Amino acid sequence: MNLVVYLAAGVFGLSSVLLLRRPRTAVLDPLTLSTCAAIVLGALVFVCSAPLTLAAVNDLTGIPNFGAPLTYSMISAYSCALIVLLINWRGGPRARVRRMVLRSVAAYGLLIAAVVALFARADADTERLTDLDTYYANTPYMREMILLYLLGHSAATLVMCAVCVKWGREVTGPLRAGLRLILAGLLLDVVGFQLAKYTAVAARWAGGDLDALSTSVAPPLASLGALLCSAGFVVPRLWPAAAAHWHGLRDHRRLEPLWSLVRSASTAPRPPAAWWQPPRTRLHWREVSIHDALLALAPYFDDRVRARARDAALRGGRPPHQARLAAEAAMLADAARRAAAGEEPLDAPSAHRLHATEVSGTSALVELAQELARSPGAGAVPARAVRAVQGRAHG
């Protein structure tokens, strides 16, 4: 059990580290702060609930079962953090958000105070590290303390479930995916942890023994539910950056046919190769270098090659835009071969402007690259560099 809860705590903590990858800006964002607070408190719940931690806390304080109110207080604080996170996530007027946050903190602050006060009044001298909820289910004050923390946690999760269901109908994309993960985690917590705890405690009240639900079923299901919630918090926050990295990596790879054709004509300074450079950085350098190479090859553009390729594409039934791409790919491939062969630039080069130079971003360059990959005659230039072109560019 120690391994399960410590592992859950570690994954929880890693989630907060990912969200705080830019600490200076994160501390100014209430949503990021509340998300990290909820995740850190969730991690602390798992750390405090581990039998190894409970034993250490009890030994350190000299009070049997002191770890119980500490854990229950952490669970209540985590429940409050979930509600605060939801309030900040939902947004609205600042005054309203602040008022709702203060009310939630005050309510759960009173609950935590009640948990501590009930434990102080209770007679709980026998240390229980794994089955305290059921062992003391019929003990005065301990009974009320156990029921109180469970009710406080249930209230928070049920409110979260209701809001996630309602809000999930109104949003799309990463936010909806995050809400669904949170809802799945909350439902697993309700069914796997809370229902198991309530059932085991109620069985004790009725004179039965279903302690296994509390000691064996509830902890792993609570861990899994919390991890799903953690993923739900993190996904909407990290999805845009992850998507940008993925698109950068994809476009960098899709530009390879075009880059292989014109790379020897580029005079753009090459940055130091580093595997840790973000895909967007590598993509930006490749985009700049390709545009530099297109500029260097412009004196070799032949309108006759372009016109023949365009007419052939149109006769083949291709749409006008695709025919234009095919024509430009053929003209560019011809220009690259002429330059690589050391031929002189044309006396009257084409004044045609490539579609890839008319559109900002990489989409048009990717279209040209994919057309080159499909064109049978548009292979890569021979390995020798276009020294003549580079010399003229430098000159």
Side-chain angles (χ1 to χ4, degrees), residues 18 28 43 121 216 227 249 381:
L18 291 175
L28 301 177
R121 293 290 304 275
S216 301
L227 292 178
L249 188 63
V381 172

Side-chain angles (χ1 to χ4, degrees), residues 259-267 270 293 296-297 300 335-343 380-392 394:
W259 177 236
S260 297
L261 180 69
V262 304
R263 64 187 306 168
S264 55
S266 175
T267 59
R270 297 176 179 245
L297 291 172
Y300 294 88
R337 281 192 289 268
R338 286 173 179 271
E343 297 183 15
V381 172
R384 51 198 173 115
V386 192
R387 296 183 178 87
V389 177
Q390 293 178 347
R392 291 187 185 89
H394 285 303

